[in-house]
Coordinates of all heavy atoms in Angstrom, one line a residue:
I1 N 128.2 53.5 130.2 CA 126.9 52.9 129.8 C 125.8 53.2 130.8 O 124.6 53.0 130.6 CB 127.0 51.4 129.6 CG1 127.5 50.7 130.8 CG2 127.8 51.1 128.3 CD1 127.7 49.2 130.7
G2 N 126.2 53.7 131.9 CA 125.2 54.2 132.9 C 124.8 53.3 134.0 O 124.0 53.6 134.8
Y3 N 125.3 52.0 133.9 CA 124.9 51.1 135.0 C 126.1 50.2 135.3 O 127.0 50.0 134.4 CB 123.7 50.3 134.6 CG 123.8 49.6 133.2 CD1 124.4 48.3 133.1 CD2 123.4 50.2 132.1 CE1 124.5 47.7 132.0 CE2 123.5 49.6 130.8 CZ 124.1 48.3 130.8 OH 124.2 47.7 129.6
P4 N 126.2 49.6 136.4 CA 127.3 48.7 136.8 C 127.3 47.4 136.0 O 126.3 46.9 135.6 CB 127.1 48.4 138.3 CG 125.9 49.2 138.7 CD 125.2 49.7 137.5
L5 N 128.5 47.0 135.7 CA 128.7 45.7 135.0 C 129.3 44.7 136.0 O 130.2 45.1 136.7 CB 129.7 45.8 133.8 CG 129.2 46.6 132.6 CD1 130.3 46.8 131.6 CD2 128.0 46.0 132.0
T6 N 128.9 43.5 135.9 CA 129.5 42.4 136.8 C 130.4 41.6 135.9 O 130.1 41.2 134.8 CB 128.4 41.5 137.3 OG1 127.5 42.3 138.1 CG2 129.1 40.5 138.2
H7 N 131.7 41.4 136.3 CA 132.7 40.7 135.5 C 133.7 40.1 136.4 O 133.8 40.5 137.6 CB 133.3 41.7 134.5 CG 134.0 42.9 135.2 ND1 135.2 42.8 135.7 CD2 133.5 44.1 135.4 CE1 135.5 44.0 136.2 NE2 134.5 44.8 136.1
S8 N 134.5 39.3 135.8 CA 135.6 38.7 136.6 C 137.0 39.1 136.2 O 138.0 38.6 136.6 CB 135.5 37.1 136.4 OG 135.7 36.8 135.1
F9 N 137.0 40.2 135.4 CA 138.3 40.7 134.9 C 138.7 41.9 135.9 O 137.9 42.5 136.5 CB 138.2 41.3 133.5 CG 137.8 40.3 132.5 CD1 136.5 40.2 132.0 CD2 138.8 39.3 132.1 CE1 136.2 39.3 131.0 CE2 138.4 38.4 131.1 CZ 137.1 38.4 130.6
S10 N 140.1 42.1 136.0 CA 140.6 43.2 136.8 C 140.4 44.5 136.1 O 140.3 44.5 134.8 CB 142.0 42.9 137.1 OG 142.8 43.0 135.9
K11 N 140.6 45.6 136.8 CA 140.6 46.9 136.2 C 141.8 47.1 135.3 O 141.7 47.7 134.3 CB 140.6 48.0 137.3 CG 139.2 48.1 138.0 CD 139.3 49.3 139.0 CE 138.4 48.9 140.1 NZ 139.1 48.7 141.4
K12 N 142.9 46.5 135.7 CA 144.1 46.5 134.9 C 143.8 45.9 133.5 O 144.3 46.4 132.5 CB 145.2 45.8 135.6 CG 146.5 45.9 134.9 CD 147.1 47.3 135.0 CE 148.5 47.3 134.4 NZ 148.9 48.7 134.2
Y13 N 143.1 44.8 133.5 CA 142.8 44.1 132.2 C 142.0 45.1 131.3 O 142.4 45.3 130.1 CB 141.9 42.9 132.4 CG 141.3 42.3 131.2 CD1 142.0 41.4 130.4 CD2 140.0 42.7 130.8 CE1 141.5 40.9 129.3 CE2 139.5 42.1 129.7 CZ 140.2 41.2 128.9 OH 139.7 40.7 127.8
F14 N 141.0 45.8 131.8 CA 140.3 46.7 131.0 C 141.1 48.0 130.6 O 141.0 48.5 129.5 CB 139.0 47.2 131.7 CG 137.9 46.1 131.7 CD1 137.6 45.4 132.9 CD2 137.2 45.8 130.6 CE1 136.6 44.5 132.9 CE2 136.3 44.8 130.6 CZ 136.0 44.2 131.7
E15 N 141.9 48.4 131.6 CA 142.8 49.5 131.3 C 143.7 49.3 130.1 O 143.9 50.1 129.2 CB 143.7 49.8 132.5 CG 144.5 51.0 132.5 CD 145.2 51.3 133.8 OE1 145.2 50.5 134.7 OE2 145.8 52.4 133.9
E16 N 144.3 48.1 130.0 CA 145.2 47.7 128.9 C 144.4 47.5 127.6 O 144.8 47.9 126.6 CB 145.9 46.4 129.3 CG 146.9 46.6 130.4 CD 147.5 45.2 130.9 OE1 147.0 44.2 130.4 OE2 148.4 45.3 131.8
K17 N 143.2 46.9 127.7 CA 142.4 46.7 126.5 C 141.9 48.0 125.9 O 141.7 48.1 124.7 CB 141.2 45.7 126.8 CG 141.6 44.3 127.1 CD 142.3 43.7 125.9 CE 142.6 42.2 126.2 NZ 143.3 41.6 125.1
L18 N 141.5 49.0 126.7 CA 140.9 50.2 126.3 C 141.9 51.4 126.1 O 141.4 52.4 125.6 CB 139.8 50.6 127.3 CG 138.7 49.6 127.4 CD1 137.7 50.0 128.5 CD2 137.9 49.5 126.1
E19 N 143.1 51.2 126.4 CA 144.1 52.3 126.3 C 144.2 52.8 124.9 O 144.2 54.1 124.7 CB 145.5 51.8 126.7 CG 146.6 52.8 126.7 CD 147.9 52.2 127.2 OE1 148.1 51.0 126.9 OE2 148.6 52.9 127.8
D20 N 144.1 52.0 123.9 CA 144.2 52.5 122.5 C 143.0 53.2 122.0 O 143.0 53.9 121.0 CB 144.5 51.3 121.5 CG 145.9 50.7 121.7 OD1 146.7 51.4 122.3 OD2 146.0 49.5 121.3
Y21 N 142.0 53.2 122.8 CA 140.7 53.9 122.5 C 140.5 55.2 123.3 O 139.4 55.7 123.3 CB 139.5 52.9 122.7 CG 139.6 51.7 121.8 CD1 140.1 50.6 122.3 CD2 139.2 51.8 120.5 CE1 140.2 49.4 121.5 CE2 139.3 50.7 119.7 CZ 139.8 49.5 120.2 OH 140.0 48.4 119.4
G22 N 141.6 55.6 124.0 CA 141.5 56.9 124.7 C 141.1 56.8 126.1 O 140.8 57.8 126.8
F23 N 141.0 55.6 126.7 CA 140.6 55.4 128.1 C 141.8 55.5 128.9 O 142.9 54.9 128.6 CB 139.8 54.1 128.3 CG 138.4 54.1 127.7 CD1 138.2 54.0 126.4 CD2 137.4 54.4 128.6 CE1 136.9 54.0 125.9 CE2 136.1 54.4 128.1 CZ 135.8 54.2 126.8
V24 N 141.6 56.1 130.1 CA 142.7 56.1 131.1 C 142.1 56.0 132.5 O 141.0 56.4 132.7 CB 143.5 57.4 130.9 CG1 142.7 58.7 131.3 CG2 144.8 57.4 131.7
R25 N 142.9 55.5 133.4 CA 142.4 55.4 134.7 C 142.7 56.7 135.4 O 143.9 57.1 135.6 CB 143.2 54.2 135.5 CG 142.5 54.0 136.8 CD 143.3 53.0 137.7 NE 143.4 51.7 137.0 CZ 143.1 50.5 137.6 NH1 142.8 50.5 138.9 NH2 143.3 49.4 137.0
V26 N 141.7 57.4 135.8 CA 141.8 58.7 136.4 C 141.8 58.7 137.9 O 142.0 59.6 138.6 CB 140.8 59.7 135.9 CG1 141.0 60.0 134.4 CG2 139.4 59.3 136.2
H27 N 141.4 57.5 138.4 CA 141.3 57.2 139.9 C 141.3 55.7 140.0 O 141.0 55.0 139.1 CB 140.0 57.8 140.4 CG 139.8 57.8 141.8 ND1 139.2 56.7 142.5 CD2 140.1 58.7 142.8 CE1 139.2 56.9 143.8 NE2 139.7 58.1 144.0
K28 N 141.6 55.2 141.2 CA 141.7 53.8 141.4 C 140.4 53.1 141.0 O 140.4 51.9 140.7 CB 142.1 53.4 142.8 CG 141.1 53.8 143.9 CD 141.6 53.4 145.2 CE 140.6 53.8 146.3 NZ 141.0 53.4 147.6
S29 N 139.3 53.8 141.0 CA 138.0 53.2 140.8 C 137.4 53.5 139.4 O 136.4 53.0 139.1 CB 137.0 53.7 141.8 OG 137.4 53.4 143.1
F30 N 138.1 54.4 138.6 CA 137.4 54.9 137.4 C 138.4 54.8 136.2 O 139.5 55.3 136.2 CB 137.0 56.3 137.6 CG 136.0 56.5 138.6 CD1 136.3 57.1 139.8 CD2 134.7 56.1 138.5 CE1 135.4 57.3 140.9 CE2 133.8 56.3 139.5 CZ 134.1 56.9 140.7
L31 N 137.8 54.3 135.1 CA 138.4 54.4 133.8 C 137.5 55.3 133.0 O 136.3 55.0 132.9 CB 138.5 53.0 133.1 CG 139.6 52.1 133.5 CD1 139.4 50.7 132.8 CD2 141.0 52.6 133.0
V32 N 138.1 56.3 132.3 CA 137.2 57.2 131.5 C 137.9 57.4 130.2 O 139.1 57.3 130.0 CB 136.9 58.5 132.2 CG1 136.2 58.3 133.5 CG2 138.2 59.3 132.4
N33 N 137.0 57.8 129.2 CA 137.5 58.2 127.9 C 137.9 59.7 128.0 O 137.0 60.5 128.4 CB 136.5 58.0 126.8 CG 136.9 58.2 125.4 OD1 137.7 59.2 125.2 ND2 136.5 57.4 124.5
L34 N 139.2 60.0 127.7 CA 139.6 61.4 127.8 C 138.8 62.4 127.0 O 138.6 63.5 127.4 CB 141.1 61.5 127.4 CG 142.1 60.9 128.4 CD1 143.4 60.8 127.8 CD2 142.1 61.6 129.7
L35 N 138.2 61.9 125.9 CA 137.4 62.8 125.0 C 136.1 63.1 125.6 O 135.4 64.0 125.1 CB 137.3 62.1 123.6 CG 138.5 62.0 122.8 CD1 138.3 61.2 121.5 CD2 139.1 63.4 122.5
C36 N 135.7 62.4 126.7 CA 134.4 62.6 127.3 C 134.5 63.6 128.5 O 133.5 63.9 129.1 CB 133.8 61.3 127.8 SG 133.3 60.3 126.4
I37 N 135.7 64.0 128.8 CA 135.9 65.0 129.9 C 135.6 66.4 129.4 O 136.2 66.8 128.4 CB 137.3 64.9 130.5 CG1 137.6 63.5 131.0 CG2 137.6 66.0 131.5 CD1 139.1 63.3 131.4
V38 N 134.7 67.1 130.1 CA 134.4 68.4 129.7 C 134.8 69.5 130.6 O 134.9 70.7 130.3 CB 132.8 68.6 129.4 CG1 132.4 67.7 128.3 CG2 132.0 68.3 130.7
E39 N 135.2 69.1 131.9 CA 135.5 70.1 132.8 C 136.3 69.5 134.0 O 136.0 68.4 134.5 CB 134.3 70.8 133.4 CG 134.5 71.9 134.3 CD 133.1 72.5 134.7 OE1 132.1 72.3 134.1 OE2 133.1 73.2 135.8
L40 N 137.3 70.3 134.5 CA 137.8 69.9 135.8 C 137.1 70.8 136.8 O 136.9 72.0 136.7 CB 139.3 70.3 135.9 CG 140.3 69.4 135.1 CD1 141.7 70.1 135.2 CD2 140.3 68.1 135.7
S41 N 136.7 70.1 138.0 CA 135.8 70.8 138.9 C 136.6 70.8 140.3 O 137.6 70.2 140.5 CB 134.5 70.0 139.0 OG 133.6 70.7 139.9
N42 N 136.0 71.5 141.2 CA 136.5 71.7 142.6 C 137.7 72.7 142.5 O 138.3 72.8 141.5 CB 136.9 70.5 143.3 CG 135.7 69.6 143.6 OD1 134.5 70.1 143.5 ND2 135.9 68.4 144.0
K43 N 137.9 73.3 143.6 CA 139.0 74.3 143.6 C 140.4 73.7 143.3 O 141.2 74.3 142.6 CB 139.1 75.0 145.0 CG 137.9 75.9 145.2 CD 138.1 76.6 146.6 CE 136.8 77.4 146.9 NZ 136.9 78.0 148.2
D44 N 140.6 72.5 143.7 CA 141.9 71.9 143.5 C 141.9 70.9 142.2 O 142.9 70.3 142.0 CB 142.4 71.1 144.7 CG 141.4 70.0 145.1 OD1 140.3 69.9 144.5 OD2 141.7 69.3 146.0
G45 N 140.8 70.9 141.5 CA 140.8 70.1 140.3 C 140.7 68.6 140.6 O 141.1 67.8 139.8
S46 N 140.1 68.3 141.7 CA 140.1 66.9 142.1 C 138.9 66.1 141.6 O 138.6 64.9 142.0 CB 140.1 66.8 143.7 OG 138.9 67.4 144.2
Q47 N 138.2 66.7 140.7 CA 137.0 66.0 140.2 C 136.9 66.4 138.7 O 137.2 67.5 138.3 CB 135.7 66.5 140.9 CG 134.5 65.7 140.6 CD 133.4 66.2 141.5 OE1 132.9 67.4 141.4 NE2 132.9 65.3 142.4
I48 N 136.4 65.5 137.9 CA 136.2 65.8 136.5 C 134.7 65.6 136.2 O 134.0 64.8 136.8 CB 137.0 64.9 135.5 CG1 136.8 63.4 135.8 CG2 138.4 65.3 135.6 CD1 137.5 62.5 134.8
I49 N 134.2 66.4 135.2 CA 132.8 66.2 134.8 C 132.8 65.7 133.4 O 133.5 66.2 132.5 CB 132.1 67.6 134.9 CG1 132.1 68.1 136.3 CG2 130.6 67.4 134.4 CD1 131.5 69.5 136.6
L50 N 132.1 64.6 133.2 CA 132.0 64.0 131.9 C 130.9 64.6 131.0 O 130.0 65.2 131.5 CB 131.8 62.5 132.1 CG 132.9 61.8 132.9 CD1 132.5 60.3 133.1 CD2 134.2 61.9 132.3
S51 N 130.9 64.3 129.8 CA 129.9 64.9 128.8 C 128.5 64.4 129.2 O 127.5 65.1 128.8 CB 130.3 64.4 127.4 OG 130.4 63.0 127.2
N52 N 128.4 63.3 129.9 CA 127.0 62.8 130.3 C 126.6 63.4 131.6 O 125.5 63.1 132.1 CB 126.9 61.3 130.3 CG 127.8 60.7 131.3 OD1 128.5 61.4 132.1 ND2 127.9 59.4 131.4
G53 N 127.4 64.3 132.2 CA 127.1 65.0 133.4 C 127.6 64.3 134.7 O 127.5 64.8 135.8
H54 N 128.0 63.1 134.6 CA 128.6 62.3 135.7 C 129.8 63.1 136.2 O 130.7 63.5 135.5 CB 128.9 60.9 135.4 CG 127.7 60.1 135.2 ND1 127.3 59.5 134.0 CD2 126.8 59.7 136.1 CE1 126.2 58.8 134.2 NE2 125.8 58.9 135.5
K55 N 130.0 63.1 137.6 CA 131.2 63.6 138.2 C 132.0 62.4 138.7 O 131.5 61.5 139.3 CB 130.8 64.5 139.4 CG 130.0 65.7 138.9 CD 129.5 66.6 140.1 CE 128.8 67.8 139.6 NZ 128.3 68.6 140.7
V56 N 133.3 62.5 138.4 CA 134.2 61.4 138.8 C 135.4 62.0 139.5 O 135.9 63.0 139.1 CB 134.7 60.7 137.5 CG1 135.7 59.6 137.7 CG2 133.5 60.1 136.7
A57 N 135.9 61.3 140.5 CA 137.1 61.7 141.3 C 138.3 61.6 140.4 O 138.4 60.7 139.5 CB 137.2 60.8 142.5
L58 N 139.2 62.6 140.5 CA 140.4 62.6 139.8 C 141.6 62.5 140.8 O 141.7 63.4 141.7 CB 140.6 63.9 139.0 CG 141.8 64.1 138.2 CD1 142.1 63.0 137.2 CD2 141.8 65.5 137.5
A59 N 142.4 61.5 140.7 CA 143.5 61.3 141.6 C 144.6 62.3 141.4 O 144.8 62.8 140.3 CB 144.1 59.9 141.4
K60 N 145.2 62.8 142.5 CA 146.2 63.8 142.4 C 147.3 63.4 141.4 O 147.8 64.3 140.6 CB 146.8 64.1 143.8 CG 145.9 64.7 144.7 CD 146.5 64.9 146.1 CE 145.6 65.5 147.1 NZ 146.1 65.6 148.4
D61 N 147.7 62.2 141.4 CA 148.8 61.7 140.5 C 148.3 61.6 139.0 O 149.2 61.3 138.2 CB 149.5 60.5 141.0 CG 148.5 59.3 141.0 OD1 147.3 59.4 141.2 OD2 149.0 58.2 140.9
K62 N 147.1 61.8 138.7 CA 146.6 61.7 137.4 C 146.2 63.0 136.8 O 145.9 63.1 135.6 CB 145.4 60.7 137.3 CG 145.6 59.3 137.7 CD 146.6 58.7 136.8 CE 146.8 57.2 137.2 NZ 147.6 56.5 136.2
K63 N 146.2 64.0 137.6 CA 145.8 65.4 137.2 C 146.7 65.9 136.0 O 146.2 66.4 135.0 CB 145.8 66.3 138.3 CG 145.3 67.7 138.0 CD 145.2 68.6 139.2 CE 144.8 70.0 138.8 NZ 144.7 70.9 140.0
N64 N 148.0 65.7 136.2 CA 148.9 66.2 135.1 C 148.7 65.5 133.8 O 148.8 66.1 132.7 CB 150.3 66.1 135.5 CG 150.7 67.2 136.5 OD1 150.1 68.2 136.6 ND2 151.7 66.9 137.3
L65 N 148.4 64.2 133.9 CA 148.1 63.4 132.7 C 146.9 64.0 131.9 O 146.9 64.2 130.7 CB 147.8 61.9 133.0 CG 147.3 61.0 131.9 CD1 148.5 60.7 131.0 CD2 146.7 59.7 132.5
V66 N 145.8 64.3 132.6 CA 144.6 64.9 132.0 C 144.9 66.3 131.5 O 144.5 66.6 130.3 CB 143.5 65.0 133.1 CG1 142.3 65.7 132.5 CG2 143.0 63.5 133.4
L67 N 145.7 67.1 132.2 CA 146.0 68.4 131.8 C 146.9 68.4 130.5 O 146.6 69.2 129.6 CB 146.7 69.2 132.9 CG 145.8 69.6 134.1 CD1 146.6 70.3 135.1 CD2 144.7 70.5 133.6
E68 N 147.8 67.5 130.5 CA 148.7 67.4 129.3 C 147.9 66.9 128.1 O 148.2 67.4 126.9 CB 149.8 66.4 129.6 CG 150.9 66.9 130.4 CD 151.6 68.1 129.8 OE1 151.9 68.2 128.6 OE2 151.8 69.1 130.6
F69 N 146.9 66.1 128.2 CA 146.1 65.6 127.1 C 145.4 66.9 126.5 O 145.4 67.0 125.3 CB 145.1 64.6 127.6 CG 144.1 64.3 126.5 CD1 144.4 63.4 125.5 CD2 142.8 64.8 126.6 CE1 143.5 63.1 124.5 CE2 141.9 64.5 125.6 CZ 142.2 63.6 124.6
F70 N 144.8 67.7 127.3 CA 144.1 68.8 126.8 C 145.0 69.9 126.2 O 144.6 70.6 125.3 CB 143.2 69.4 127.9 CG 142.0 68.6 128.1 CD1 141.8 67.7 129.2 CD2 140.9 68.6 127.1 CE1 140.7 66.9 129.4 CE2 139.8 67.8 127.3 CZ 139.7 66.9 128.4
K71 N 146.2 70.0 126.7 CA 147.2 70.9 126.1 C 147.5 70.5 124.6 O 147.8 71.3 123.8 CB 148.5 71.0 126.9 CG 148.3 71.8 128.2 CD 149.6 71.8 128.9 CE 149.5 72.5 130.3 NZ 150.7 72.4 131.0
Q72 N 147.4 69.2 124.4 CA 147.8 68.7 123.0 C 146.6 68.8 122.0 O 146.8 68.7 120.8 CB 148.2 67.2 123.1 CG 149.4 67.0 123.9 CD 149.8 65.5 124.1 OE1 149.1 64.7 123.5 NE2 150.8 65.2 124.9
L73 N 145.5 69.1 122.5 CA 144.3 69.3 121.6 C 144.4 70.6 120.8 O 144.8 71.5 121.1 CB 143.0 69.2 122.3 CG 142.6 67.9 122.9 CD1 141.3 67.9 123.6 CD2 142.6 66.8 121.8

């Protein structure tokens, strides 16, 4: 949505609620919709670029999850 939200729910709560809609935690700080990822960036693929141009960190242990998703498309 482009701006921070204030809430009293945990990230885990949102992760579980949004999982069926294609959202995944790609980093301890970020939940993203996999369909909004347009590019893996940096030499080691440690960053993703979203369709709105935002750059988001990609955790090393989540890189394979993202790559597998795109192989299935």
Side-chain angles (χ1 to χ4, degrees):
I1 57 179
Y3 55 88
L5 292 174
T6 303
H7 57 81
S8 60
F9 299 105
S10 68
K11 287 183 213 113
K12 184 70 174 170
Y13 170 84
F14 286 108
E15 187 175 9
E16 291 170 357
K17 294 292 183 187
L18 296 172
E19 181 178 33
D20 292 339
Y21 300 97
F23 284 80
V24 67
R25 190 187 300 229
V26 296
H27 186 273
K28 66 180 180 177
S29 301
F30 301 106
L31 281 171
V32 300
N33 187 320
L34 289 169
L35 294 174
C36 291
I37 298 172
V38 295
E39 184 180 339
L40 284 177
S41 185
N42 291 348
K43 290 181 182 177
D44 60 355
S46 63
Q47 189 176 65
I48 55 177
I49 299 175
L50 302 176
S51 58
N52 63 3
H54 285 113
K55 295 177 181 177
V56 176
L58 177 60
K60 290 178 185 177
D61 64 331
K62 299 295 184 176
K63 185 176 177 181
N64 284 337
L65 174 74
V66 172
L67 291 174
E68 285 300 316
F69 172 77
F70 284 103
K71 286 180 185 177
Q72 294 176 9
L73 291 181

